[in-house]
Amino acid sequence: MPFCTNCGGNVGGNARFCPNCGTPQPNAQMPGEPQFTDFLSGMSDRTASILCYIPVFGVIPAIVFLAARKYRLNSRVRFDAFQALYLFVAWLIVSSAIPTLLFTGVPGAGLESAVLGLLKLAIFICWIYLLIKAAQERQVRLPIIGDLAARSTTEQL
């Protein structure tokens, strides 16, 4: 039988308030109300790391894992999430910012677009490489992005 968080008195399983002191109970559930469980509770650290490195779309689980209470003190998953976010920022810079800032209205920018294509391919290959290493439960630190991720991980703890 659960106990009140304020006075320690006995509280029924689904009671929303303590019958002794009237304090609202944190785990109270209304009758007929669906009980939702944390969708991250059954997820392993390996799976979380893998999801962070899905090319382009891995940014969404990375943000979720950084905000989740379950991974707040898990430095491995937080490192992978930060590294995936910084890799996504590099992807945005190469695919959107550089062409817009440097090559707008420049005639004959064929060589420049080939270089940008190679940079995009390199970032995509990094994503796949990191995804494979996360599946093997090996942590890889990219040269600049990995250092930023490590710093961000230690600052957040």
Side-chain angles (χ1 to χ4, degrees):
M1 177 169 261
F3 298 96
C4 175
T5 57
N6 185 39
C7 71
N10 287 336
V11 179
N14 290 331
R16 293 185 57 139
F17 298 95
C18 175
N20 297 330
C21 66
T23 304
Q25 299 302 300
N27 295 329
Q29 179 183 351
M30 289 290 291
E33 180 180 327
Q35 183 175 3
F36 296 105
T37 58
D38 186 13
F39 71 95
L40 297 176
S41 63
M43 187 177 297
S44 69
D45 295 347
R46 177 180 175 260
T47 304
S49 294
I50 290 170
L51 288 175
C52 289
Y53 291 122
I54 296 172
V56 182
F57 298 107
V59 69
I60 296 168
I63 291 170
V64 169
F65 298 145
L66 287 173
R69 181 174 295 141
K70 178 179 179 182
Y71 299 110
R72 187 153 318 258
L73 298 176
N74 188 326
S75 61
R76 179 184 172 92
V77 174
R78 291 184 68 78
F79 172 81
D80 288 332
F82 275 119
Q83 185 164 255
L85 280 175
Y86 293 139
L87 195 60
F88 180 73
V89 169
W91 173 267
L92 288 178
I93 290 170
V94 169
S95 64
S96 299
I98 291 176
T100 303
L101 295 174
L102 299 181
F103 305 124
T104 304
V106 176
L111 179 63
E112 291 85 0
S113 64
V115 169
L116 288 175
L118 287 175
L119 285 173
K120 287 182 195 178
L121 179 65
I123 291 173
F124 188 78
I125 289 171
C126 280
W127 261 320
I128 299 302
Y129 176 73
L130 291 170
L131 183 105
I132 291 168
K133 289 302 178 183
Q136 296 172 350
E137 296 188 44
R138 296 184 63 204
Q139 196 167 32
V140 175
R141 181 186 252 186
L142 295 177
I144 296 169
I145 294 172
D147 295 337
L148 289 172
R151 189 177 316 144
S152 298
T153 301
T154 56
E155 288 174 358
Q156 297 293 322
L157 294 176

